[in-house]
Amino acid sequence: MATRYLAPLLLGVCILPPAFGQAIPPGMTQGPSLAGITEYRMANGLKVLLFPDAGKPTVTVNMTYLAGSRHENYGESGMAHLLEHLMFKGSPRHRDLMHQFTVRGMDFNGTTSQDRTNYYQVFQASPDNLKWVLDMEADRMTNAFIAKKDLDAEMTVVRNEYELGENNPYEVLHKRMESVAYDWHSYGRATIGNRSDIEHVDIDRLRAFYRTYYQPDNAVLLVAGKFDPAQTLAWIGKAFGAIPKPKRELPQFWTVEPAQDGERQFAVRRSGDQQIVMVGYKVPSGLHGDAEALAFSSSILSDAPNGRLHKLLVETGKAAHVFAISQAGMAPGMQMFGAVVRSGQEVAPVRDALVSAVEGFASAPPETEEVERARREFANSLDKALSNPQQLGIALSEAIALGDWRLLSRQSEVIASVTGQQIMQAAERYYRRDNRTVGTFLPDDAPQRALIGTAPTAAELLRAYRGEAGKQAGAYFDTSHDNILARTQLTQVGGLKLALLSKKNRGETVTVELQLHWGNENTLFGKQTVATAVNAMLMRGTSKYTRAQLADEMAALKITGTPFNFETTRQHLPAAMRLMAHVLKEPAFSQMEFDQMRQQWLLSLESQRGEPTSMVRRELELHFNQWPKGDPRAVLTLEQQIAEVRVLSLEDLKAFHAAFYGASHGALAVVGDFDKEALLGAVSEELAGWRSNSEYAPVLDRYAAIPAVRKVLAAADKENAMYGARMNVALNLDDPDYLALQAANFMFGGAAKSRLMDRIRERDGLSYWGGSALRAGERDDAGIFTVEAVAAPQNMARLEAAIRQELERALKQGFTRAELESAKAAMLRLRAQQRAEDDALAWEWLRLMQMARGFAWNKAQEAQLNALTLRQVNAAFRKHIDASKLSIVIATDAAQAAPSSQSR
């Protein structure tokens, strides 16, 4: 019994005896005949291959099941191989197989690969032996014991086989190569399995695997050698015909390994006496048109003594010998090349030369002599297999695993016509840097492994645990507008408006939100980038603390956040307020921290170049930009922003901070558990007298009608594409249509349950994420309506059409009364939920203070929302939203968006 790695089919050109003819037993039909082999099919699905050869005094019986390691599930690695072992434990009518094999003088074994398992017996030709083998194979096909006692005994044997492989540097490196190269496909698991899976395999799951795959419709029986075909068919019909056709459906496997997107490298360090370097490339299935050409390239490179790698590495003394491993199975496999290096010699030069020779193959086309030599080798391999029944059985098993035994003969014909040009082109397609995985076995008598111990169970950890008293519980808080307004103290400290809402929270937590305003559209002209940079430097150290010390101080005061929005506790709030004020007033502006900040900023900006979402959003902002470069409202191109960041100086930041920072104008909202007097004292001391040196005036936006455009941006090598659409809307929070439009947007695409998401996600299955948004100006009329969604490039045309159709349908047919009532209830619940969150409540107070309003205004808005009529909502949507005015930008990979691509 043995595991096998997939090898290329034995290839060659041969002439076999013609097919024979005789009576076919009832329930059996004759299939194709080719090169002396004839196929028969039984009613239960079993395929039978007869290959009579009177010139041989032996008979080979080979049973192939289409069940290998790729059919195993999680936790079942090695199950196919373990089942192979248990199949030799017998069945009710054939109990002591080992004894019978021995007394009958039979050569027998089983092998397991990724795609199939096969069992063979080779014996002196005799009717008694053949009939016994056929009866035995039929009996164990569905009646094998697969007993728990046998599993317990055989598990240690299989584990020892695993351990034997772990002593072999080649096998260890090979297993690691597979696991590193594959991300998802089961070809990444070694056929022998994982130690813990072998030790803990469940007998019921093993039996289920056996009952699923060891059935006549998943098996092919081969009889080759000296036998009576008619008599043999009769025996097969009687022995296997009694097995009913299974009713179960075979599991379907759909995992496709994605294209590797960069070279991979790993090392194995174990005790040993030789160094090995191996390089692997993913290659197509054995059914692919490039399979034969790749087999030629493997032979030309790895042959000894004529192969290129032998001449390059062995004859020059760099390596002791070279080798190749081909795994071209039912799914895309691997082509590996390797070299063995004596201990003490440098591995890196051998690795580099190996990679260069393989990946340079395409630039050094094979010579005629090399091609013909490989062609002869393949022909010789098949000739040898025909005289070796075991090899023939395995070769046919590999062809059967690919789908049909006739592939072996077909491949011989294909090999005869392979050209040097085909070999070179196939090598160029797959022997590439980004498809490369390199592994090295490095002998090490003192490996530095991290052994992960077994963790106790949760029950064991908690057996004697009692725990501490919980944190102080919070008190009930009424989230109604009236209560919020009644509980909030509105006051002013210097230029700061304050909203202080004290309430008992669990853990005595408190949230702080701060806004500071300075400058105007004139004084802030050309200061957009430096203003952002100053803000980014605030948390990187102060006049009193380094960056690390500041982080420690914030942790001691239980501060999380930034000076403009942070959370702490009642006990620490006054000190936290003083610390955050210190951060705002006295940043250190360290040159080292500035250099780090700029480097990280540039990295972030440069990463946006090919990112579809960033590309679409920036392009839309640029299209709708109506302000000149330098204006604080202007939108910069990505390259302009990068250029400005690069020329920033530390002196620019210091100058901006000195000119603008201060608390002359702003708002502070505090919600949670705190002492008002202590807080007011800290705010007064730190912020009341801190004045900005720049006059303040709000920088307002304005509505502008911008012509619609449609642009498609190239997002090369991106699996996901981005759709964005926008139109400007003349809309203010006080506009009579504002709430009606908000309700319409909510129903169209503003919620997970909306017209748009029902279409593009739930019904069409095109998009994971998408939606629409509506924004109204707070103190101006610069409103916008946007739609965004993502999809695979090949689905983008359908996505765009679906969005357009849903928008047109909403505008033409309007929304329904049921939709509106559901939307109003959901929007009111969301608003109530936000009032229960301290950070959202504090932010809302900031917004209201900026607009000189309070929660009475919020209350009135919600009453108006609840009173909306269907007529108002549909009329507002039709008045303000026009599908023809939407500017659309799409970022996609045109190659993946080709019409021939299939929807995922």
Side-chain angles (χ1 to χ4, degrees):
M1 281 122 331
T3 58
R4 280 185 59 85
Y5 300 113
L6 289 181
L9 303 185
L10 295 172
L11 307 170
V13 180
C14 64
I15 299 175
L16 297 173
F20 53 89
Q22 71 278 319
I24 301 173
M28 190 179 293
T29 59
Q30 183 172 333
S33 293
L34 186 66
I37 301 176
T38 303
E39 177 183 319
Y40 298 87
R41 298 173 184 172
M42 299 183 65
N44 57 15
L46 179 68
K47 291 183 179 179
V48 179
L49 304 179
L50 296 190
F51 181 18
D53 183 357
K56 294 183 180 296
T58 61
V59 177
T60 297
V61 175
N62 185 90
M63 177 68 80
T64 302
Y65 292 97
L66 300 181
S69 59
R70 77 176 174 91
H71 300 91
E72 299 161 347
N73 290 312
Y74 184 80
E76 296 179 350
S77 67
M79 182 175 283
H81 173 241
L82 188 52
L83 178 58
E84 175 214 312
H85 277 245
L86 291 189
M87 289 293 285
F88 288 89
K89 298 300 180 181
S91 54
R93 293 190 294 109
H94 299 80
R95 293 180 175 272
D96 194 349
L97 292 185
M98 296 300 190
H99 174 72
Q100 285 293 330
F101 288 147
T102 301
V103 298
R104 292 175 181 271
M106 293 183 174
D107 181 11
F108 67 93
N109 209 338
T111 71
T112 305
S113 74
Q114 293 164 322
D115 295 312
R116 55 88 194 143
T117 303
N118 83 305
Y119 304 87
Y120 67 82
Q121 300 84 32
V122 182
F123 48 89
Q124 288 297 310
S126 78
D128 177 65
N129 277 341
L130 178 55
K131 185 176 184 303
W132 181 86
V133 167
L134 294 174
D135 287 341
M136 180 273 299
E137 288 291 6
D139 194 27
R140 71 174 176 176
M141 174 179 279
T142 56
N143 297 315
F145 288 129
I146 318 297
K148 180 68 167 63
K149 64 179 181 62
D150 292 332
L151 172 62
D152 292 342
E154 198 66 22
M155 181 278 291
T156 57
V157 174
V158 174
R159 184 177 61 189
N160 187 242
E161 184 180 348
Y162 165 88
E163 293 161 345
L164 186 65
E166 288 294 288
N167 282 357
N168 187 319
Y170 292 92
E171 290 196 29
V172 172
L173 192 61
H174 187 187
K175 286 195 288 187
R176 295 298 181 276
M177 172 67 72
E178 291 174 320
S179 65
V180 172
Y182 286 95
D183 291 324
W184 304 107
H185 198 274
S186 54
Y187 278 5
R189 299 193 304 261
T191 302
I192 189 67
N194 167 270
R195 177 190 287 271
S196 62
D197 286 358
I198 294 169
E199 292 175 338
H200 296 95
V201 66
D202 180 75
I203 186 63
D204 291 329
R205 291 173 72 174
L206 184 61
R207 286 169 179 158
F209 188 89
Y210 166 67
R211 289 166 185 153
T212 297
Y213 293 106
Y214 279 54
Q215 295 287 343
D217 64 342
N218 197 48
V220 179
L221 173 67
L222 166 70
V223 181
K226 185 178 180 180
F227 60 91
D228 182 330
Q231 180 63 71
T232 301
L233 280 179
W235 286 335
I236 291 172
K238 181 179 180 181
F240 290 92
I243 303 173
K245 185 175 183 177
K247 296 180 180 179
R248 61 89 183 89
E249 293 290 332
L250 284 167
Q252 297 298 308
F253 294 87
W254 47 79
T255 300
V256 175
E257 182 70 17
Q260 188 168 314
D261 50 12
E263 65 271 39
R264 303 176 183 184
Q265 188 164 328
F266 69 94
V268 175
R269 295 180 184 273
R270 291 193 178 194
S271 176
D273 301 307
Q274 57 187 359
Q275 304 173 105
I276 306 172
V277 59
M278 186 183 293
V279 56
Y281 302 87
K282 294 195 185 77
V283 294
S285 158
L287 295 168
H288 193 275
D290 286 336
E292 290 80 14
L294 286 168
F296 268 81
S297 71
S298 175
S299 177
I300 291 170
L301 283 165
S302 64
D303 179 65
N306 295 302
R308 295 184 179 185
L309 296 179
H310 180 86
K311 293 179 182 297
L312 175 69
L313 299 174
V314 179
E315 292 184 2
T316 59
K318 294 178 181 177
H321 67 86
V322 295
F323 60 91
I325 303 173
S326 299
Q327 294 179 190
M330 187 69 179
M334 289 196 76
Q335 175 64 53
M336 288 161 271
F337 301 95
V340 182
V341 183
R342 293 179 56 203
S343 294
Q345 289 185 284
E346 287 291 325
V347 172
V350 177
R351 177 198 63 211
D352 296 344
L354 180 64
V355 169
S356 179
V358 174
E359 295 179 14
F361 189 95
S363 60
E367 298 177 0
T368 302
E369 182 182 358
E370 291 178 307
V371 176
E372 293 308 317
R373 181 183 297 114
R375 210 186 310 272
R376 285 194 303 272
E377 285 296 324
F378 292 135
N380 292 340
S381 294
L382 187 55
D383 286 343
K384 292 176 182 177
L386 291 173
S387 59
N388 185 317
Q390 297 97 318
Q391 287 188 25
L392 178 61
I394 290 173
L396 283 171
S397 292
E398 303 295 0
I400 290 165
L402 290 178
D404 197 298
W405 61 272
R406 291 173 294 171
L407 292 170
L408 183 62
S409 178
R410 176 191 177 276
Q411 202 171 44
S412 297
E413 297 174 5
V414 173
I415 286 295
S417 62
V418 169
T419 67
Q421 182 74 8
Q422 291 173 320
I423 299 168
M424 181 185 68
Q425 291 173 344
E428 195 280 329
R429 276 191 280 272
Y430 308 106
Y431 300 160
R432 310 185 118 191
R433 180 198 63 193
D434 291 352
N435 190 38
R436 177 206 312 152
T437 301
V438 178
T440 52
F441 183 94
L442 302 173
D444 192 335
D445 292 332
Q448 301 175 26
R449 296 176 192 149
L451 301 179
I452 310 300
T454 302
T457 65
E460 291 169 340
L461 282 175
L462 297 174
R463 187 170 293 130
Y465 179 72
R466 295 295 176 266
E468 300 177 0
K471 292 183 178 180
Q472 180 179 341
Y476 167 75
F477 180 71
D478 177 6
T479 59
S480 67
H481 300 90
D482 292 340
N483 183 60
I484 290 172
L485 190 56
R487 293 280 296 271
T488 303
Q489 178 183 343
L490 299 175
T491 185
Q492 187 153 342
V493 174
L496 288 180
K497 298 176 182 179
L498 272 63
L500 310 178
L501 198 170
S502 178
K503 63 189 187 73
K504 288 296 181 183
N505 280 347
R506 184 176 184 82
E508 299 184 330
T509 60
V510 58
T511 298
V512 177
E513 295 280 350
L514 173 67
Q515 276 187 347
L516 297 177
H517 307 296
W518 46 66
N520 54 55
E521 61 182 82
N522 295 320
T523 59
L524 289 172
F525 194 90
K527 300 291 194 297
Q528 193 180 77
T529 301
V530 69
T532 304
V534 172
N535 184 64
M537 286 293 293
L538 294 176
M539 298 291 289
R540 291 175 173 264
T542 72
S543 60
K544 291 171 57 178
Y545 303 105
T546 65
R547 182 180 178 182
Q549 290 170 338
L550 178 60
D552 289 341
E553 192 69 15
M554 290 176 64
L557 296 176
K558 296 188 177 181
I559 301 172
T560 55
T562 73
F564 295 105
N565 57 289
F566 65 90
E567 182 181 300
T568 183
T569 62
R570 177 187 181 93
Q571 173 189 354
H572 296 110
L573 180 58
M577 197 72 234
R578 289 186 173 89
L579 179 62
M580 292 293 95
H582 169 66
V583 170
L584 286 167
K585 292 157 68 175
E586 300 182 39
F589 292 122
S590 153
Q591 183 67 52
M592 180 186 71
E593 292 294 342
F594 171 71
D595 292 340
Q596 291 180 20
M597 181 275 295
R598 179 164 55 185
Q599 191 76 2
Q600 292 162 4
W601 193 359
L602 287 170
L603 180 65
S604 174
L605 290 171
E606 289 163 354
S607 70
Q608 297 175 23
R609 281 199 174 102
E611 202 286 306
T613 301
S614 300
M615 294 167 66
V616 166
R617 289 176 176 171
R618 187 180 291 269
E619 190 66 28
L620 280 171
E621 289 175 354
L622 287 167
H623 176 66
F624 283 88
N625 176 51
Q626 54 180 307
W627 307 104
K629 185 176 183 293
D631 188 284
R633 293 156 293 198
V635 180
L636 299 176
T637 68
L638 182 60
E639 298 309 320
Q640 286 172 338
Q641 192 171 3
I642 289 173
E644 290 198 1
V645 173
R646 281 178 175 158
V647 299
L648 275 178
S649 72
L650 201 55
E651 295 307 313
D652 295 332
L653 275 65
K654 293 177 180 178
F656 184 91
H657 185 270
F660 290 95
Y661 267 60
S664 305
H665 302 275
L668 175 70
V670 183
V671 177
D673 205 335
F674 62 94
D675 182 308
K676 290 183 182 179
E677 296 306 317
L679 171 64
L680 286 170
V683 173
S684 297
E685 290 174 21
E686 298 294 338
L687 299 178
W690 185 38
R691 309 291 297 175
S692 171
N693 292 319
S694 176
E695 292 295 324
Y696 166 66
V699 179
L700 303 180
D701 207 345
R702 67 177 179 230
Y703 167 78
I706 306 295
V709 297
R710 183 182 181 278
K711 295 183 178 181
V712 178
L713 309 178
D717 198 29
K718 295 296 181 181
E719 293 284 331
N720 208 21
M722 175 72 181
Y723 169 99
R726 170 179 164 174
M727 63 173 289
N728 283 352
V729 182
L731 191 68
N732 181 273
L733 291 179
D734 292 324
D735 192 298
D737 289 336
Y738 168 65
L739 291 172
L741 265 180
Q742 280 285 21
N745 174 71
F746 190 89
M747 291 182 284
F748 174 70
K753 177 62 179 176
S754 60
R755 289 263 187 104
L756 183 60
M757 293 310 294
D758 281 353
R759 173 68 184 275
I760 66 175
R761 176 167 175 155
E762 302 302 327
R763 184 166 54 161
D764 292 355
L766 298 172
S767 178
Y768 168 76
W769 167 85
S772 64
L774 178 76
R775 190 185 76 195
E778 293 183 349
R779 288 182 286 183
D780 53 46
D781 64 348
I784 63 171
F785 173 71
T786 60
V787 183
E788 291 185 337
V790 295
Q794 56 267 43
N795 290 337
M796 185 50 69
R798 290 177 59 200
L799 178 78
E800 183 179 7
I803 293 172
R804 181 180 62 253
Q805 291 163 9
E806 289 304 316
L807 184 55
E808 290 173 349
R809 183 168 74 93
L811 290 168
K812 181 179 180 180
Q813 301 176 8
F815 301 99
T816 67
R817 192 173 306 280
E819 283 179 300
L820 178 58
E821 292 307 314
S822 176
K824 289 195 296 185
M827 293 172 74
L828 291 171
R829 282 194 298 269
L830 285 172
R831 287 180 171 226
Q833 182 177 327
Q834 289 172 347
R835 293 196 298 273
E837 302 293 335
D838 287 1
D839 54 350
L841 194 52
W843 177 254
E844 184 62 13
W845 263 122
L846 279 188
R847 192 173 77 101
L848 292 172
M849 286 188 290
Q850 180 173 289
M851 297 187 296
R853 293 172 181 170
F855 266 83
W857 180 78
N858 273 28
K859 181 180 179 181
Q861 270 210 326
E862 292 189 11
Q864 293 169 30
L865 173 62
N866 198 38
L868 283 174
T869 67
L870 188 62
R871 182 186 298 273
Q872 287 175 307
V873 171
N874 285 331
F877 201 56
R878 292 182 179 121
K879 174 183 175 182
H880 293 277
I881 306 302
D882 185 341
S884 67
K885 294 181 179 179
L886 275 178
S887 287
I888 298 170
V889 177
I890 295 170
T892 186
D893 183 349
Q896 296 186 58
S900 60
S901 298
Q902 297 297 311
S903 172
R904 297 183 202 183

